[in-house]
């Protein structure tokens, strides 16, 4: 019987020596070369890569013919004997007894001559994601997300979900996507923060992991129009408590990637260091002075411009917080200091080496009267915030939280030039396909 006696194994298991001597590997042909009567194919599967060889006159005739015929990216099943071989990548190879082509691939379009621009690679993203760098980036991304699940579970945060069709603009009207909802205009969620706040009296500490949408018209290396956000919110928590959660989460993300994704960091040529705790803190005013000295000054009250943020980020070796943003640069719900009514209890977490903003967070206004005043001072439509306001009538304690971008975090941790590489199928101002 075909396949009898062969243990179905992953490429990684074969290389680690935990598979047994007779294996079956199912995967795709990543590369191939022939030397005289010897054909080598490197097979990729979900766990890694392993080399297979077949020698004319030694392997069965049908197996030799199949490996010879198999094209790059064909789906194949290989059965054979694991052999030590110092010349093989990973020090082991499978000497093929049987080689089946399950789905023969046409001529692979992503060749050195065909790839004239990064844009071509993203036009062919449905295929180019099979490349080693894309694979490494996705594995690191999954590790970053996994770390968040573990961090929040270990720290008593409940995972919640929230709708994507919403009415309120959490982060301002200028980046809202609206869609037709049975003849009515509704928005795609920019942030689940308001729903998290609503969940606090029920669950006290919550977090959420879901897509956010921003009609960001700027073409930059850190903006997507659809991205995944991790947000957390806690009741009876000041802004100082909020910063500790961010430090804990980011520390765990880096720790996990260093522990479990060393090979992937190597593929990407990334040197990642574990940041020390606590992360450095600088105030908005200090950040502004720094920018000023670099000739990148900006008005007090403005958001920190991209160039200035990059310069500050480049001056640091660890993620750091910029605290105490002016109210003018923040959303309406931010709490201000009692003695400094124009300064918010808020912070951005910024990645070093020029990568820039990872997270934004702050303490929210929990008092009903104060929030009504703020909404009217800023000329916002109070009716869109009706239920958000009503929460303040029924037991809202001081609370704070933050949102951290999954692709921004992955980009920094994996050291990717552009945020689109941190997404399997990125959505940007100029890309909505594949
Ligand atoms: O800074 P933002 O806009 O903050 C909020 O949405 C808050 N309501 C979050 C909260 O307090 N619960 O977005 C949070 C994070 C940013 O720091 C960034 O990492 C990411 O989301 N982000 C984007 N990532 C990719 N592309 C974009 N266009 C992004 N906009 C924000
Ligand atoms: Mg922000």
């Amino acid at each position: 019987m075909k396949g009898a006696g062969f243990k179905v194994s992953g490429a990684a298991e074969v290389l680690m020596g935990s598979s047994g001597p007779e294996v079956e590997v199912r995967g795709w042909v990543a590369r191939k070369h022939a030397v005289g009567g010897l054909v080598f194919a490197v097979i990729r599967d979900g766990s890694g890569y392993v080399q297979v060889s077949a020698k004319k006159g030694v392997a069965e005739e049908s197996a030799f013919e199949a490996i010879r015929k198999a094209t790059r990216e064909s789906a194949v099943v290989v059965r054979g004997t694991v052999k030590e071989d110092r010349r093989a990548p990973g020090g082991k190879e499978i000497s093929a007894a049987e080689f089946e082509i399950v789905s023969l691939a046409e001529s692979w379009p992503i060749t050195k001559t065909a790839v004239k621009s990064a844009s071509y690679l993203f036009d062919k993203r449905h295929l180019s994601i099979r490349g080693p760098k894309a694979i490494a980036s996705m594995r690191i991304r999954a590790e970053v997300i996994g770390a968040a699940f573990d961090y929040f579970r270990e720290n008593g945060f409940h995972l919640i979900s929230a709708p994507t069709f919403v009415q309120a603009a959490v982060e301002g009207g200028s980046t809202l996507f609206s869609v037709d909802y049975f003849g009515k205009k509704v928005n795609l969620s920019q942030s689940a923060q308001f729903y998290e706040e609503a969940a606090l009296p029920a669950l006290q500490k919550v977090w959420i992991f879901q897509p956010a949408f921003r009609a960001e018209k700027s073409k930059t290396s850190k903006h997507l129009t659809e991205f995944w956000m991790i947000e957390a919110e806690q009741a009876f928590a000041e802004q100082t408590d909020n910063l500790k959660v961010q430090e804990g989460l980011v520390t765990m993300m880096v720790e996990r990637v260093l522990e479990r994704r060393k090979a992937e960091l190597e593929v990407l040529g990334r040197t990642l260091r574990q940041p020390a705790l606590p992360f450095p803190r600088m105030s908005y005013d200090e950040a502004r002075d720094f920018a000023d000295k670099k000739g990148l000054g900006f008005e007090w009250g403005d958001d920190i411009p991209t160039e200035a943020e990059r310069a500050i980020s480049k001056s640091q070796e660890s993620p750091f917080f910029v605290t105490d943003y002016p109210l003018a640069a923040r959303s309406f719900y931010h709490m201000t200091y009692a003695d400094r009514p124009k300064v918010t209890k808020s912070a951005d977490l910024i990645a070093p080496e020029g990568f820039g903003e990872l997270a934004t967070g702050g303490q929210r206004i929990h008092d009903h009267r104060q929030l009504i005043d703020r909404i009217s001072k800023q000329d916002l439509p109070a009716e869109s915030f009706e239920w958000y306001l009503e929460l303040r009538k029924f037991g809202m304690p001081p609370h704070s939280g933050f949102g951290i971008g999954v692709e921004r975090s992955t980009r920094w941790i994996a050291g990717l030039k552009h945020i689109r590489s941190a997404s399997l199928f990125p959505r940007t101002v100029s890309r909505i396909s594949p």
Side-chain angles (χ1 to χ4, degrees):
M1 197 185 78
K2 235 182 187 180
F6 295 99
K7 186 174 161 244
V8 178
S9 306
E13 271 176 276
V14 172
L15 293 193
M16 275 180 331
S18 56
S19 63
E22 304 290 322
V23 297
E24 173 178 312
V25 171
R26 303 160 177 182
W28 293 263
V29 177
R31 342 183 253 284
K32 232 182 78 175
H33 68 281
V35 190
L38 249 176
V39 183
F40 297 95
V42 173
I43 307 300
R44 179 189 71 246
D45 70 5
S47 68
Y49 300 86
V50 65
Q51 179 169 290
V52 177
S53 70
K55 193 171 187 179
K56 194 170 173 64
V58 176
E60 283 210 16
E61 188 56 27
S62 61
F64 183 77
E65 269 316 299
I67 192 170
R68 209 184 50 76
K69 201 177 135 209
T71 46
R72 185 169 169 193
E73 290 306 325
S74 292
V76 298
V77 175
V78 183
R79 298 180 195 93
T81 308
V82 179
K83 299 216 160 100
E84 301 279 337
D85 190 320
R86 275 188 304 114
R87 292 157 303 178
K92 290 196 178 67
E93 70 168 20
I94 302 169
S95 171
E98 297 171 16
F99 194 103
E100 264 179 59
I101 300 175
V102 178
S103 170
L104 185 69
E106 292 185 14
S107 171
W108 185 242
I110 304 176
T111 58
K112 280 209 174 93
T113 42
V115 180
K116 298 213 163 58
S117 64
S119 156
Y120 176 80
L121 279 178
F122 280 90
D123 291 342
K124 293 276 181 204
R125 185 71 168 163
H126 51 294
L127 300 178
S128 65
I129 51 177
R130 303 177 192 195
K133 286 192 174 168
I135 291 173
S137 307
M138 288 311 113
R139 286 170 155 233
I140 290 173
R141 184 182 197 273
E143 209 59 60
V144 164
I145 295 166
F149 273 83
D150 289 347
Y151 176 81
F152 287 118
R153 191 192 290 274
E154 283 169 22
N155 287 280
F157 285 77
H158 299 279
L159 177 63
I160 61 164
S161 300
T164 299
F165 291 127
V166 299
Q167 289 190 301
V170 181
E171 296 302 323
S174 65
T175 60
L176 274 181
F177 276 114
S178 57
V179 292
D180 178 75
Y181 194 79
F182 307 115
K184 194 175 155 190
K185 212 174 96 173
V186 300
N187 304 315
L188 296 181
S189 171
Q190 296 172 313
S191 156
Q193 182 193 317
F194 292 178
Y195 294 103
E196 285 187 312
E197 289 184 60
L200 289 183
L203 297 165
Q204 192 146 352
K205 288 164 81 167
V206 298
W207 80 286
I208 197 159
F209 166 63
Q210 64 181 44
F213 303 86
R214 304 283 172 100
E216 299 275 7
K217 294 213 184 71
S218 41
K219 277 193 185 175
T220 76
S221 55
K222 55 177 218 180
H223 285 98
L224 295 167
T225 50
E226 176 177 358
F227 61 97
W228 283 73
M229 209 197 307
I230 290 166
E231 293 180 272
E233 196 78 24
Q234 346 174 44
F236 299 102
E238 306 281 330
Q239 171 61 358
T240 44
D241 305 311
N242 189 24
L243 298 188
K244 286 198 188 111
V245 177
Q246 295 175 55
E247 286 175 328
L249 172 65
V250 169
T251 297
M252 184 116 147
M253 286 174 171
V254 175
E255 221 165 68
R256 281 291 173 81
V257 171
L258 286 172
E259 244 171 56
R260 302 180 183 179
R261 293 290 166 229
K262 221 171 136 200
E264 287 76 8
L265 290 171
E266 239 160 68
V267 167
L268 295 167
R270 173 67 165 151
T271 313
L272 179 70
R273 272 178 292 269
Q274 186 71 54
L277 286 170
F279 297 168
R281 283 137 168 86
M282 75 170 78
S283 68
Y284 171 92
D285 290 353
E286 286 166 338
R288 195 163 152 264
D289 287 345
F290 179 94
D292 233 8
K293 285 189 190 115
K294 296 264 168 193
L296 299 165
F298 54 92
E299 289 286 310
W300 195 91
D302 285 355
D303 214 347
I304 302 179
T306 308
E307 279 307 309
E309 186 194 86
R310 190 175 301 129
I312 301 163
S313 161
K314 275 191 173 157
S315 74
Q316 300 290 315
E317 284 182 358
S318 146
F320 60 102
F321 291 108
V322 175
T323 64
D324 303 344
Y325 281 76
L327 180 56
R330 285 307 211 222
S331 286
F332 70 95
Y333 52 72
H334 278 85
M335 178 177 272
T336 50
Y337 289 93
D339 54 345
R340 287 187 289 163
K342 288 190 172 156
V343 180
T344 61
K345 296 185 179 181
S346 71
D348 272 10
L349 176 62
I350 312 227
E353 309 157 75
F355 286 97
E357 179 187 333
L358 293 177
T360 288
Q363 191 165 335
R364 331 299 189 186
I365 298 175
H366 59 278
D367 180 76
H368 187 248
R369 190 69 255 158
Q370 265 183 34
L371 192 58
I372 289 191
D373 285 350
R374 181 65 62 70
I375 286 175
S376 79
K377 266 195 199 126
Q378 298 199 0
D379 265 339
L380 294 166
E383 62 286 0
S384 331
F385 303 109
E386 210 177 297
W387 65 259
Y388 186 64
L389 274 162
E390 194 178 28
L391 292 174
R392 273 73 185 161
K393 290 187 189 170
F394 298 96
M396 217 45 188
H399 61 283
S400 55
F402 66 94
I404 181 166
V406 168
E407 292 79 10
R408 293 261 182 108
S409 311
T410 304
R411 178 182 171 227
W412 162 59
I413 288 173
L416 307 172
K417 263 208 189 103
H418 200 290
I419 194 166
R420 65 187 168 194
S421 305
S423 168
L424 200 53
F425 292 104
R427 291 289 175 261
T428 62
V429 65
S430 54
R431 181 171 296 285
I432 191 87
S433 165

